[in-house]
Amino acid sequence: MGPLNHPSSLEEFAVPDKEYLSKHPEYDVLCTGVAVFDKNGKLLLVQRAADEKAFPNAWEVPGGKVDDTDETILHAAARELKEETGLTATRIRRKVTEFTFRDERPGRRPVTWLKLIFEIEVEDTKVTLDPVEHQRYLWASEEEVVRDLVGDIKLAYVSPPNKTVKLEAFRLQKEAVPS
C-alpha cells in the first residue's frame, strides 16, 4: 500500500499490530473504525448485513480487525475502509477516540479488544459496499445521530460506545486540523 499521509501525532499507530501490542500487554486484539465525512459534514454509516452472526442490522462506521499482514495499524484502517466501502484513503486526519471491549465466551480465555477510531479523508465519496458484510449505507448529520434517526431509518448500534464514537467524531471535526 505504501506510506500513508498522517500527522506526526499518529506515529504510535504507524507500526504493526504486534509491535503496538508488545508495548500494551493489557490488550489482546486490535481493531479499527473509520470516520469519513462528506463535503456537507455528514458522517458515513454502514449497516451490518442481516445474516451477520454478530450484531446483524447494527449501524456502525467502517472498520475491522487489524491483520498480521497489515503494514501498520493505520494501513489496517485504510484497508478495512477500502474493503467495506470501496473508498480510497488519501490521508489519516486524526485519532478520534478508542474504547475496549471483552470477549468472555464460556470455555475460552477472556480476550480484551482495543478499538481505535481514526478520521480519514478519501479520494471521493462514491460508496460501493461489500454485500457480505453490509447491506446499506447512509450519510448522517450530527443531529440525526443524536436522535438515532436518519429520515425514517432508526439507527441501532452494537453498543453505547458505538454512538459515543460518532458524536466524538462530529465534535473533533469542528476543530482545526491537527498538525
Side-chain angles (χ1 to χ4, degrees):
M1 190 182 272
L4 277 172
N5 182 349
H6 64 274
S8 57
S9 61
L10 295 179
E11 276 306 304
E12 71 176 297
F13 307 109
V15 297
D17 66 332
K18 294 228 182 314
E19 184 177 327
Y20 185 89
L21 289 169
S22 72
K23 295 174 185 165
H24 299 275
E26 66 272 30
Y27 307 121
D28 300 303
V29 183
L30 297 177
C31 58
T32 63
V34 178
V36 174
F37 290 95
D38 69 8
K39 64 185 182 325
N40 300 315
K42 290 188 171 190
L43 178 66
L44 175 63
L45 300 180
V46 290
Q47 186 181 37
R48 294 174 72 87
D51 58 0
E52 272 282 335
K53 286 191 288 277
F55 312 108
N57 301 311
W59 288 92
E60 61 189 359
V61 294
K65 185 180 172 300
V66 178
D67 294 340
D68 291 341
T69 53
D70 289 316
E71 189 177 325
T72 70
I73 297 166
L74 299 176
H75 283 83
R79 174 188 54 76
E80 283 287 349
L81 178 66
K82 182 73 172 177
E83 286 176 3
E84 293 187 359
T85 67
L87 298 175
T88 301
T90 56
R91 181 168 191 267
I92 313 287
R93 188 169 185 205
R94 71 176 103 227
K95 178 182 163 195
V96 173
T97 190
E98 65 183 48
F99 65 93
T100 61
F101 54 96
R102 286 179 59 84
D103 182 350
E104 297 180 339
R105 281 183 253 181
R108 297 171 78 179
R109 179 179 76 79
V111 176
T112 301
W113 291 67
L114 173 64
K115 185 160 188 168
L116 298 159
I117 314 294
F118 300 99
E119 182 181 337
I120 296 184
E121 295 171 3
V122 295
E123 276 180 8
D124 65 55
T125 53
K126 184 181 179 305
V127 175
T128 305
L129 293 180
D130 173 355
V132 172
E133 293 193 48
H134 295 97
Q135 59 191 343
R136 290 194 293 182
Y137 74 92
L138 52 78
W139 296 91
S141 70
E142 184 175 15
E143 184 180 306
E144 289 168 328
V145 170
V146 167
R147 289 193 336 250
D148 297 325
L149 196 64
V150 181
D152 61 353
I153 298 171
K154 178 95 173 99
L155 300 178
Y157 306 113
V158 171
S159 67
N162 283 262
K163 181 173 180 175
T164 306
V165 160
K166 294 158 185 65
L167 296 175
E168 182 65 5
F170 280 111
R171 188 186 72 74
L172 290 173
Q173 209 242 354
K174 295 173 192 166
E175 295 180 358
V177 177
S179 57

